[in-house]
């Protein structure tokens, strides 16, 4: 599998391209702020043709460029229905401080084609099979995408559910700490240790590494501390 990733925008949200190889169809995951130019450069460099955009959640730092990317290539965006309204009303999902930083204005719109992600769904796109895991906590509609073979080469695009050494914050509108703990127990800690984690911010990691070193997983329980303010 070919995986290309690069950070985007002021909050350095990771955008990814996944394909079976050079010169093939691909999927785009989380095209955030200022993603269009580096995305188009990567498509040309690797001779890739996008067939869909997948969104781990609706926060603007992960979805800001979804309309120009989707409409520019005539492809659909996939998002969990609980976060779809954030595509046209991004201020609904951010802190008051973040809203003030943007002067109370942050204009986005939905792409022409929007499709819903459901928990447990299998998406067959660009020659890849990806399983959707609904992981509410950071937002109500947060999801992770699993891909790869059972015998090895497994990966998960965790969005802002899991980072290297941390987890997503839950104090923003739509966030819920107890839901996050449930998602971590049921959808993260059940993954194989050799699963490579491609997070929404920061460097890659593995489930095995996080299981033994991530303080939020080690302290998992109703008394687990709230996550630090990472991202929005």
């Amino acid at each position: 599998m070919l995986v290309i990733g690069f950070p985007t925008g002021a909050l350095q949200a990771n955008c990814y391209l996944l394909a079976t190889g050079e010169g093939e169809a691909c999927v785009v995951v989380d095209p955030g702020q200022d993603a269009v130019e580096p995305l188009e450069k990567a498509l040309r460099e690797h001779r890739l043709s996008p067939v869909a955009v997948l969104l781990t959640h609706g926060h603007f730092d992960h979805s800001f460029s979804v309309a120009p990317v989707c409409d520019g290539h005539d492809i659909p965006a996939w998002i969990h229905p609980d976060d779809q309204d954030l595509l046209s009303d991004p201020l609904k999902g951010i802190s008051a401080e973040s809203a003030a930083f943007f002067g109370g204005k942050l204009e986005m719109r939905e792409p022409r084609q929007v499709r819903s992600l459901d928990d447990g769904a299998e998406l067959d796109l660009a020659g890849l099979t990806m399983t959707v895991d609904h992981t509410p906590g950071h937002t109500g509609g947060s999801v992770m995408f699993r891909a790869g073979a059972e015998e090895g080469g497994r990966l998960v695009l965790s969005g802002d559910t899991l980072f290297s050494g941390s987890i997503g914050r839950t104090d923003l509108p739509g966030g819920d700490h107890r839901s996050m703990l449930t998602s971590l127990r049921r959808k993260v800690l059940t993954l194989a240790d050799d699963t490579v984690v491609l997070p929404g911010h920061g460097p890659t990691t593995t489930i095995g590494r996080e299981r033994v070193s991530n303080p939020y997983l080690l302290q998992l329980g109703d008394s687990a501390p709230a996550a630090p303010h990472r991202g929005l």
Side-chain angles (χ1 to χ4, degrees), residues 5 108 111 115 132 134 144 153 158 170 221 229:
M108 286 176 55
R115 298 178 184 174
V132 180
H134 183 209
M144 304 192 307
S158 62
T170 57
H229 291 184

Side-chain angles (χ1 to χ4, degrees), residues 7-230:
T8 65
L11 297 175
Q12 295 287 278
N14 291 327
C15 177
Y16 298 100
L17 287 77
L18 282 73
T20 57
E22 301 265 349
E24 302 292 343
C26 73
V27 294
V28 177
V29 181
D30 286 1
Q33 286 182 297
D34 305 320
V36 174
E37 185 173 337
L39 175 59
E40 294 298 332
K41 180 180 178 181
L43 293 174
R44 292 191 300 269
E45 180 179 347
H46 298 279
R47 297 174 288 110
L48 299 173
S49 302
V51 298
V53 168
L54 306 182
L55 297 173
T56 61
H57 61 294
H59 283 160
F60 77 89
D61 55 327
H62 294 259
S63 64
F64 191 81
S65 298
V66 65
V69 171
C70 285
D71 293 353
H73 291 275
D74 194 24
I75 59 177
W78 293 77
I79 188 170
H80 192 278
D82 288 351
D83 274 16
Q84 184 173 341
D85 58 345
L86 297 179
L87 298 184
S88 56
D89 187 8
L91 292 179
K92 185 176 180 180
I94 68 176
S95 66
E97 294 83 358
S98 295
F101 178 80
F102 292 101
K105 287 186 177 181
L106 193 60
E107 295 186 2
M108 286 176 55
R109 63 175 179 83
E110 287 190 9
R112 288 191 294 266
Q113 303 178 60
V114 179
R115 298 178 184 174
S116 293
L117 296 169
D118 298 313
D119 186 41
E122 287 198 351
L123 306 177
D124 292 313
L125 299 167
L128 305 170
T129 299
M130 308 185 74
T131 303
V132 180
D133 287 322
H134 183 209
T135 55
H138 180 63
T139 66
S142 288
V143 301
M144 304 192 307
F145 300 103
R146 286 184 284 124
E150 289 300 319
E151 63 273 13
R154 290 172 282 219
L155 64 81
V156 61
L157 295 113
S158 62
D160 284 6
T161 297
L162 179 69
F163 305 127
S164 175
S166 190
I167 60 174
R169 61 188 293 186
T170 57
D171 62 327
L172 297 172
D176 184 271
H177 190 59
R178 288 187 176 272
S179 294
M180 174 65 89
L181 298 182
T182 299
S183 294
L184 294 171
R185 288 193 198 97
R186 295 180 178 177
K187 299 298 179 70
V188 171
L189 289 176
T190 53
L191 298 177
D193 282 351
D194 64 353
T195 303
V196 175
V197 180
L198 305 179
H201 298 267
T204 61
T205 185
T206 66
I207 291 295
R209 185 182 305 158
E210 297 310 303
R211 194 188 306 277
V212 300
S213 65
N214 189 314
Y216 298 94
L217 299 186
L218 290 171
Q219 301 177 51
L220 192 57
D222 290 344
S223 60
H229 291 184
R230 189 170 186 177

